[in-house]
Amino acid sequence: MNRLLTRLPTWTLLLVVLLTVAYFLLTHEGLYALDDYYYARYAHQLLSGTFRLAPDPQHLLHDPLHERPMIFGPVAVFFALFGVNIISATLWPLLATLGCAGLIWALYRRREPVVAAGAMLLLGLHYFTLNLSNYLYPDNILMFWCLAGAAALLRGREPGRRAGRWGAGFALLSFAALLSKETIAYYLPFYLGVLGLDALRRRHGRFWATALGTGAVLLAGYLGFYQYFTDDALYRIHLIEQTNEFLKDGNFLAGNRAALLARVTWQPLAFFVASGLGLMLTLAALAAPRPAPAEAPAPAAPDRPFWLVLSGLTLVFYWVGSTSLSQYNPITLLPRMTTPLLPPLALAAGFGLRRLVARGGGAALLAGLLLLLLAAWLRSAVAVVYVVPGLWLLVLGLSRWLPAWPRHLRPGEPLLVAATVLIMALALAVRPVYFMRKPSVSAHFAQSRVMQQHLAAPTRGTVLVDDFLIDNYDFTHGFRVPPGLQYRRYFARDSIRIAPDYPAWLLLNRATLANPELTRTLIRYSPDSVLSWYPRRRLVAQDGPVELYEVFGSNEAKR
């Protein structure tokens, strides 16, 4: 095999790792919402021995996040190693993101270097893969378990493998996914289909016997655990159903029936295009079976249909599936909900890319035209993901009629493969690099420095903060707020006690108060209006857009 092709996956992996780590460090915005705060709090409770296995005894709190120990369990380990901070809290999703690229590299760097390079780029440089790498959300972690479990199923059934070990590994990885997020269930129909096909052909008996046996033991222990602690073996399912019942006003059959047709027809397609997945879908379509014999070598022949069918079934369930067993409630069209779909779709697209660069011609021409049409339809900044590859594929498709086209850039040539991968990398990197250059919208690190330097023990008093920080301020204190401090909202200005031995502090984060995601929903005041509520104040510290004031009562002399 050509040396350029053999080295291509490793260079691609290096690019993906470097860009992912750079994005993680340069765009980190701290805690995003309540979900990542709860996961971090559960991790600290595990570490401190205060985590409750049983649900709330009064049945007032029903939190599905509490039942995902593979999300916050590893975070507890990082807290023990590196302390409670936002980097240690989000190291686990970062490692899971990098792990996906590493798994693809290990699977195909020798067998299918073009597939490996293409899939790593499409998955690793997909904007929302990077975006989810620095938030403590379950999605990229689930994506890692999904890819690892599917790879174990694929490789463990190959001749010459230790089928028993691979079967046990497949069961353990699937169980880890179940302990991360429930949408691993979207893989279940495919797994059952592979099991049924193998049973029909009487193949891979040892793999499946071990996998089913291990899975049965794990599932029995899991249900027994819930039976012991909650008196309900199906507690987690009932918890999900209860959550769906609580949100039924937005259900497509109960409170939103008029939007049902759009949700199961054109809305998912528009969503996929708008989120940048149109490139993956186009290339994956090129991997579909053709009447002519496939050009793939015999050892890799089963891999292409494996990933293609898995991505197709997962796509169908995402498109029309339901998050509830008792009512029809399709999954929310949010980019982070697509992570189970991404690994098989990226690998199927990798096989489509390999076929494209090997043949060119009409397939490249059609793919280029389609990508340009998607860009024209979208007409937004995301269109760069379609325009650059679309133009390149269009030229590639026309190259056979261009007499001056370089010989080394003709279909099947290693230099063409490298050029195509490079062009895809440039197109996919534009949006992440743009956000890496933007200023912070939360000033999380500046705010943390101010709080740790000036609001640590033995400081006492009332700290007045915005409506976003009021829900997670204890995270900055490592979940151990100094006993002399209490946090209140800005609006508590008329009800706080100010005394010489118990002062009041005003923490003003101008970045948070100008964050468009918060000002649309949560924050309804500006920095100037907040300062006008506390005219008697003294600036104590400033770090970028973060300011800390001591405020005084009307009868207190200004020091």
Side-chain angles (χ1 to χ4, degrees):
M1 186 179 293
N2 183 276
R3 178 177 291 185
L4 180 61
L5 291 183
T6 59
R7 292 180 176 179
L8 189 61
T10 300
W11 285 110
T12 304
L13 175 66
L14 182 61
L15 171 65
V16 170
V17 169
L18 289 176
L19 193 60
T20 303
V21 173
Y23 185 92
F24 177 85
L25 295 174
L26 295 176
T27 68
H28 213 306
E29 297 289 359
L31 296 174
Y32 180 71
L34 287 178
D35 286 18
D36 46 3
Y37 168 74
Y38 282 141
Y39 287 128
R41 189 175 67 179
Y42 291 146
H44 180 262
Q45 289 174 355
L46 275 179
L47 185 61
S48 61
T50 59
F51 183 76
R52 293 176 58 96
L53 292 173
D56 175 47
Q58 297 181 351
H59 300 284
L60 298 177
L61 300 177
H62 299 280
D63 180 14
L65 311 185
H66 183 274
E67 314 307 320
R68 297 173 178 175
M70 283 307 299
I71 303 301
F72 55 83
V75 176
V77 177
F78 293 127
F79 281 172
L81 293 174
F82 308 116
V84 179
N85 57 72
I86 195 60
I87 299 299
S88 59
T90 51
L91 196 56
W92 177 215
L94 171 65
L95 292 176
T97 306
L98 297 174
C100 291
L103 280 174
I104 294 173
W105 178 83
L107 280 170
Y108 288 112
R109 73 183 189 277
R110 292 196 181 102
R111 296 180 182 224
E112 294 284 359
V114 179
V115 173
M120 281 189 288
L121 281 181
L122 290 166
L123 180 63
L125 299 191
H126 175 54
Y127 171 71
F128 291 104
T129 298
L130 293 169
N131 179 256
L132 289 166
S133 67
N134 55 16
Y135 293 113
L136 184 51
Y137 272 58
D139 307 285
N140 280 17
I141 299 168
L142 174 68
M143 182 170 69
F144 173 76
W145 296 126
C146 287
L147 176 57
L153 176 62
L154 177 64
R155 290 287 174 260
R157 294 159 51 251
E158 291 180 340
R161 301 282 185 181
R162 295 183 176 180
R165 294 185 180 182
W166 282 91
F170 168 67
L172 287 168
L173 291 168
S174 299
F175 187 66
L178 179 64
L179 298 183
S180 299
K181 195 174 181 181
E182 301 77 13
T183 44
I184 182 59
Y186 282 6
Y187 276 32
L188 184 59
F190 176 77
Y191 289 164
L192 292 177
V194 176
L195 171 60
L197 193 60
D198 283 349
L200 189 64
R201 296 174 177 175
R202 297 184 178 181
R203 298 191 308 180
H204 312 302
R206 179 174 296 180
F207 175 91
W208 284 113
T210 309
L212 293 174
T214 305
V217 171
L218 292 172
L219 190 59
Y222 185 62
L223 297 178
F225 169 87
Y226 278 113
Q227 182 62 41
Y228 178 79
F229 282 102
T230 71
D231 294 323
D232 181 7
L234 301 179
Y235 171 79
R236 192 174 178 189
I237 295 176
H238 294 151
L239 181 61
I240 296 169
E241 291 300 323
Q242 187 173 19
T243 303
N244 278 301
E245 181 66 21
F246 177 75
L247 300 173
K248 71 178 182 180
D249 287 343
N251 184 282
F252 282 90
L253 293 182
N256 200 17
R257 186 185 296 266
L260 177 61
L261 182 61
R263 172 57 185 83
V264 298
T265 52
W266 62 269
Q267 279 185 355
L269 178 61
F271 161 74
F272 288 132
V273 174
S275 61
L277 289 179
L279 179 59
M280 270 199 230
L281 291 169
T282 300
L283 293 175
L286 295 172
R290 301 290 193 275
E295 76 285 348
D303 289 19
R304 180 172 56 86
F306 180 92
W307 298 114
L308 192 61
V309 175
L310 176 56
S311 61
L313 282 176
T314 309
L315 178 63
V316 168
F317 276 91
Y318 188 90
W319 203 299
V320 299
S322 175
T323 62
S324 171
L325 299 175
S326 60
Q327 50 188 301
Y328 183 61
N329 190 27
I331 197 167
T332 309
L333 291 176
L334 292 174
R336 71 184 188 88
M337 300 296 183
T338 63
T339 47
L341 170 66
L342 297 184
L345 184 62
L347 282 161
F351 279 98
L353 178 67
R354 186 200 64 178
R355 173 176 278 173
L356 195 65
V357 296
R359 294 182 176 180
L365 190 61
L366 288 174
L369 286 172
L370 177 58
L371 291 176
L372 293 177
L373 286 173
L374 294 180
W377 178 35
L378 199 57
R379 289 182 298 176
S380 71
V382 183
V384 69
V385 176
Y386 304 127
V387 170
V388 177
L391 289 173
W392 172 251
L393 294 180
L394 193 64
V395 173
L396 177 61
L398 295 171
S399 63
R400 65 172 61 182
W401 294 288
L402 300 176
W405 187 257
R407 181 177 61 84
H408 294 298
L409 288 179
R410 295 194 179 277
E413 293 292 333
L415 191 59
L416 172 70
V417 175
T420 304
V421 169
L422 178 60
I423 287 170
M424 286 177 49
L426 290 174
L428 291 167
V430 168
R431 195 177 183 194
V433 170
Y434 168 76
F435 281 98
M436 288 161 61
R437 293 171 57 86
K438 289 188 67 176
S440 171
V441 298
S442 70
H444 169 84
F445 294 100
Q447 180 174 270
S448 296
R449 287 191 295 268
V450 170
M451 292 176 66
Q452 291 167 1
Q453 292 170 11
H454 299 278
L455 297 176
T459 303
R460 294 170 51 82
T462 301
V463 185
L464 297 153
V465 297
D466 56 71
D467 286 86
F468 179 75
L469 184 59
I470 193 65
D471 291 323
N472 57 57
Y473 61 86
D474 56 341
F475 175 82
T476 305
H477 292 291
F479 295 102
R480 291 187 174 93
V481 180
L485 286 181
Q486 67 166 339
Y487 281 76
R488 303 284 300 276
R489 287 183 169 86
Y490 291 146
F491 294 120
R493 59 187 181 273
D494 296 327
S495 61
I496 61 173
R497 178 178 71 90
I498 302 178
D501 64 334
Y502 202 80
W505 312 94
L506 173 66
L507 184 61
L508 187 73
N509 186 334
R510 293 179 179 271
T512 296
L513 269 57
N515 185 343
E517 291 193 20
L518 297 177
T519 55
R520 285 194 300 264
T521 56
L522 182 65
I523 293 176
R524 303 294 185 182
Y525 38 80
S526 67
D528 291 339
S529 63
V530 173
L531 291 176
S532 69
W533 299 336
Y534 300 94
R536 301 177 60 81
R537 63 184 184 273
R538 176 177 66 91
L539 182 65
V540 175
Q542 182 172 6
D543 190 334
V546 180
E547 301 162 5
L548 179 67
Y549 297 89
E550 183 179 3
V551 299
F552 306 93
S554 57
N555 298 323
E556 185 180 2
K558 194 171 182 178
R559 295 191 293 273

mmCIF file of all heavy atoms in Angstrom, residues 348-364:
data_model
loop_
_atom_site.group_PDB
_atom_site.id
_atom_site.type_symbol
_atom_site.label_atom_id
_atom_site.label_comp_id
_atom_site.label_asym_id
_atom_site.label_seq_id
_atom_site.Cartn_x
_atom_site.Cartn_y
_atom_site.Cartn_z
ATOM 1 N N ALA A 348 -20.005 4.841 7.894
ATOM 2 C CA ALA A 348 -20.651 4.585 6.601
ATOM 3 C C ALA A 348 -20.235 5.647 5.589
ATOM 4 O O ALA A 348 -19.956 5.346 4.418
ATOM 5 C CB ALA A 348 -22.168 4.571 6.771
ATOM 6 N N ALA A 349 -20.159 6.910 6.037
ATOM 7 C CA ALA A 349 -19.704 7.976 5.150
ATOM 8 C C ALA A 349 -18.252 7.778 4.750
ATOM 9 O O ALA A 349 -17.855 8.125 3.620
ATOM 10 C CB ALA A 349 -19.887 9.332 5.836
ATOM 11 N N GLY A 350 -17.451 7.223 5.655
ATOM 12 C CA GLY A 350 -16.066 6.923 5.311
ATOM 13 C C GLY A 350 -15.967 5.923 4.176
ATOM 14 O O GLY A 350 -15.124 6.061 3.272
ATOM 15 N N PHE A 351 -16.823 4.911 4.192
ATOM 16 C CA PHE A 351 -16.851 3.954 3.085
ATOM 17 C C PHE A 351 -17.352 4.615 1.805
ATOM 18 O O PHE A 351 -16.885 4.292 0.707
ATOM 19 C CB PHE A 351 -17.716 2.751 3.458
ATOM 20 C CG PHE A 351 -17.014 1.750 4.315
ATOM 21 C CD1 PHE A 351 -17.199 1.753 5.695
ATOM 22 C CD2 PHE A 351 -16.153 0.814 3.766
ATOM 23 C CE1 PHE A 351 -16.550 0.837 6.504
ATOM 24 C CE2 PHE A 351 -15.491 -0.107 4.563
ATOM 25 C CZ PHE A 351 -15.687 -0.092 5.943
ATOM 26 N N GLY A 352 -18.300 5.541 1.939
ATOM 27 C CA GLY A 352 -18.752 6.280 0.768
ATOM 28 C C GLY A 352 -17.651 7.146 0.193
ATOM 29 O O GLY A 352 -17.492 7.241 -1.040
ATOM 30 N N LEU A 353 -16.858 7.767 1.060
ATOM 31 C CA LEU A 353 -15.738 8.576 0.599
ATOM 32 C C LEU A 353 -14.701 7.720 -0.120
ATOM 33 O O LEU A 353 -14.158 8.126 -1.162
ATOM 34 C CB LEU A 353 -15.101 9.294 1.792
ATOM 35 C CG LEU A 353 -13.879 10.148 1.486
ATOM 36 C CD1 LEU A 353 -14.275 11.346 0.628
ATOM 37 C CD2 LEU A 353 -13.195 10.614 2.773
ATOM 38 N N ARG A 354 -14.436 6.542 0.409
ATOM 39 C CA ARG A 354 -13.460 5.657 -0.239
ATOM 40 C C ARG A 354 -13.932 5.290 -1.650
ATOM 41 O O ARG A 354 -13.146 5.302 -2.604
ATOM 42 C CB ARG A 354 -13.283 4.380 0.584
ATOM 43 C CG ARG A 354 -12.181 3.478 0.060
ATOM 44 C CD ARG A 354 -12.355 2.067 0.559
ATOM 45 N NE ARG A 354 -13.592 1.478 0.046
ATOM 46 C CZ ARG A 354 -13.973 0.225 0.300
ATOM 47 N NH1 ARG A 354 -13.259 -0.546 1.072
ATOM 48 N NH2 ARG A 354 -15.090 -0.240 -0.207
ATOM 49 N N ARG A 355 -15.193 4.988 -1.797
ATOM 50 C CA ARG A 355 -15.725 4.658 -3.123
ATOM 51 C C ARG A 355 -15.649 5.874 -4.044
ATOM 52 O O ARG A 355 -15.355 5.744 -5.238
ATOM 53 C CB ARG A 355 -17.172 4.185 -2.976
ATOM 54 C CG ARG A 355 -17.900 3.976 -4.292
ATOM 55 C CD ARG A 355 -19.288 3.419 -4.051
ATOM 56 N NE ARG A 355 -19.251 1.974 -3.842
ATOM 57 C CZ ARG A 355 -20.305 1.240 -3.477
ATOM 58 N NH1 ARG A 355 -21.457 1.848 -3.261
ATOM 59 N NH2 ARG A 355 -20.203 -0.059 -3.312
ATOM 60 N N LEU A 356 -15.879 7.047 -3.482
ATOM 61 C CA LEU A 356 -15.889 8.270 -4.288
ATOM 62 C C LEU A 356 -14.504 8.574 -4.858
ATOM 63 O O LEU A 356 -14.355 8.852 -6.053
ATOM 64 C CB LEU A 356 -16.369 9.434 -3.427
ATOM 65 C CG LEU A 356 -16.781 10.714 -4.143
ATOM 66 C CD1 LEU A 356 -18.010 10.463 -4.999
ATOM 67 C CD2 LEU A 356 -17.068 11.800 -3.112
ATOM 68 N N VAL A 357 -13.477 8.530 -4.009
ATOM 69 C CA VAL A 357 -12.132 8.868 -4.482
ATOM 70 C C VAL A 357 -11.542 7.754 -5.348
ATOM 71 O O VAL A 357 -10.589 7.998 -6.094
ATOM 72 C CB VAL A 357 -11.189 9.182 -3.301
ATOM 73 C CG1 VAL A 357 -11.663 10.413 -2.550
ATOM 74 C CG2 VAL A 357 -11.059 7.991 -2.364
ATOM 75 N N ALA A 358 -12.114 6.554 -5.246
ATOM 76 C CA ALA A 358 -11.618 5.472 -6.089
ATOM 77 C C ALA A 358 -12.203 5.535 -7.495
ATOM 78 O O ALA A 358 -11.549 5.124 -8.460
ATOM 79 C CB ALA A 358 -11.943 4.113 -5.457
ATOM 80 N N ARG A 359 -13.414 6.073 -7.619
ATOM 81 C CA ARG A 359 -14.102 6.058 -8.919
ATOM 82 C C ARG A 359 -14.297 7.442 -9.515
ATOM 83 O O ARG A 359 -14.185 7.629 -10.725
ATOM 84 C CB ARG A 359 -15.468 5.383 -8.768
ATOM 85 C CG ARG A 359 -15.380 3.915 -8.434
ATOM 86 C CD ARG A 359 -16.772 3.318 -8.361
ATOM 87 N NE ARG A 359 -16.719 1.877 -8.137
ATOM 88 C CZ ARG A 359 -17.802 1.111 -8.033
ATOM 89 N NH1 ARG A 359 -19.008 1.643 -8.110
ATOM 90 N NH2 ARG A 359 -17.686 -0.185 -7.818
ATOM 91 N N GLY A 360 -14.631 8.435 -8.675
ATOM 92 C CA GLY A 360 -14.909 9.760 -9.207
ATOM 93 C C GLY A 360 -16.098 9.726 -10.145
ATOM 94 O O GLY A 360 -17.117 9.088 -9.882
ATOM 95 N N GLY A 361 -15.998 10.413 -11.267
ATOM 96 C CA GLY A 361 -17.019 10.361 -12.301
ATOM 97 C C GLY A 361 -18.362 10.904 -11.858
ATOM 98 O O GLY A 361 -18.471 11.890 -11.122
ATOM 99 N N GLY A 362 -19.418 10.202 -12.305
ATOM 100 C CA GLY A 362 -20.780 10.658 -12.069
ATOM 101 C C GLY A 362 -21.145 10.741 -10.605
ATOM 102 O O GLY A 362 -21.887 11.641 -10.191
ATOM 103 N N ALA A 363 -20.643 9.798 -9.778
ATOM 104 C CA ALA A 363 -20.959 9.834 -8.351
ATOM 105 C C ALA A 363 -20.425 11.106 -7.709
ATOM 106 O O ALA A 363 -21.118 11.758 -6.916
ATOM 107 C CB ALA A 363 -20.380 8.597 -7.657
ATOM 108 N N ALA A 364 -19.192 11.479 -8.027
ATOM 109 C CA ALA A 364 -18.621 12.701 -7.475
ATOM 110 C C ALA A 364 -19.380 13.925 -7.971
ATOM 111 O O ALA A 364 -19.622 14.880 -7.213
ATOM 112 C CB ALA A 364 -17.144 12.804 -7.854
#
